[in-house]
């Protein structure tokens, strides 16, 4: 007999079905059709699943750009990229196109990061709609930053609780080829090293190895070993969910408590086309 056991601790949903995809984060939601307007009771459960699982995936969707925007808007206002790093769809400039095709390699995101943490008000979350995938290539990995914080010693947690860190787009600006609308990084911004999630009240580590340049009052040289240690702890295999894309997946991550990494195991002969939308967030506190 083949059995899939559901943990006794799972929340019961009435309008959607939710299937956990790893021990730490990620869940598949079914029973939603993003091509149709979603009623408030169903959205409340989607939001519940998002807060519990941090990354939600609705497979098998066939949606138009405006439906992707409408879904994203349930979470917060949809915004473009502040440095213009991605092409937008002609009729829907807030829908960013991540495209890899012959002769044109797609943008690199093969580093652990939280989107636009160098902004004053980084996004609440980002949504990717997989339009075209090459089977088995271009997975995306996610890690749980609540668990990363909770797993630290009390001593390190209390030190980090009182700290802030500077985040900068300088690495993005140095990238070649750089697709940005600016050629100097905007001034670095300061965010708490540990933030409290406005929707769950839980504390999450909020530094990342790509955009965080140093702790406030510390030199980059002093900061790097601690930033590296925190990145290693956050990205332990037990704390990571790796998503294998199928065309039709609509996946959303909570940028306030998740870092992500786009696996670069494809070349320009392996098409990958994603539409991305971004829901605006609050200033971290
Ligand atoms: C992004 C990003 C991941 C991916 O768009 O910010 O990191 O797998 N994308 O394309
Ligand atoms: Mn990203």
């Amino acid at each position: 007999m083949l059995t899939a056991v559901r943990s006794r601790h799972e929340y019961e949903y009435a309008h959607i079905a939710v299937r956990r995809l790893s021990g730490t984060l990620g869940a598949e939601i079914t029973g939603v059709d993003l091509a149709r307007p979603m009623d408030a009771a169903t959205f409340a459960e989607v939001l519940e699943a998002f807060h519990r699982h941090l990354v939600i995936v609705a497979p098998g969707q066939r949606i138009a750009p405006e439906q992707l925007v409408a879904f994203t808007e349930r979470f917060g206002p949809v915004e473009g990229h502040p440095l213009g790093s991605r092409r937008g769809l002609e009729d829907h400039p807030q829908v960013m196109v991540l495209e890899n095709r012959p002769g044109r390699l797609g943008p690199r995101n093969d580093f652990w990061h939280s989107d636009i943490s160098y902004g004053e008000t980084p996004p609440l979350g980002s949504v990717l709609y997989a339009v075209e995938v090459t089977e088995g290539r271009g997975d995306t990995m996610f890690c749980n930053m609540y668990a990363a914080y909770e797993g630290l010693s009390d001593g390190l947690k209390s030190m980090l609780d009182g700290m802030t860190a500077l985040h900068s787009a300088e690495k993005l600006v140095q990238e070649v080829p750089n697709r940005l609308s600016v050629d100097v990084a905007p001034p670095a911004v300061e965010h708490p090293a540990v933030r409290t999630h406005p929707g769950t009240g839980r504390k999450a580590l909020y530094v990342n190895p790509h955009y965080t340049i140093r702790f406030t009052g510390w030199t980059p040289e002093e900061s790097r070993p601690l930033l590296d240690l925190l990145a290693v702890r956050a990205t332990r295999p037990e704390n990571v969910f790796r998503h294998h894309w199928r065309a039709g997946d609509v996946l959303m991550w909570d940028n306030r408590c998740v870092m992500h990494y786009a696996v670069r195991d494809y070349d320009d002969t392996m098409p990958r086309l994603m539409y991305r939308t971004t829901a605006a967030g609050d200033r971290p506190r």
Side-chain angles (χ1 to χ4, degrees), residues 86 109 111 113-115 126 211 253 260 276:
R86 312 254 191 279
N109 279 295
F111 43 85
H113 64 288
S114 179
D115 284 335
S126 306
Y211 298 133
W253 66 86
H260 59 286
R276 170 170 148 199

Side-chain angles (χ1 to χ4, degrees), residues 58-62 129-135 243-250 273-274:
Q61 304 292 322
R62 258 188 182 274
Y129 175 37
V131 179
E132 184 177 10
V133 303
T134 296
E135 282 178 5
H243 182 64
H244 308 293
W245 291 99
R246 288 176 180 251
D249 286 343
V250 173
L273 177 62
M274 302 274 178

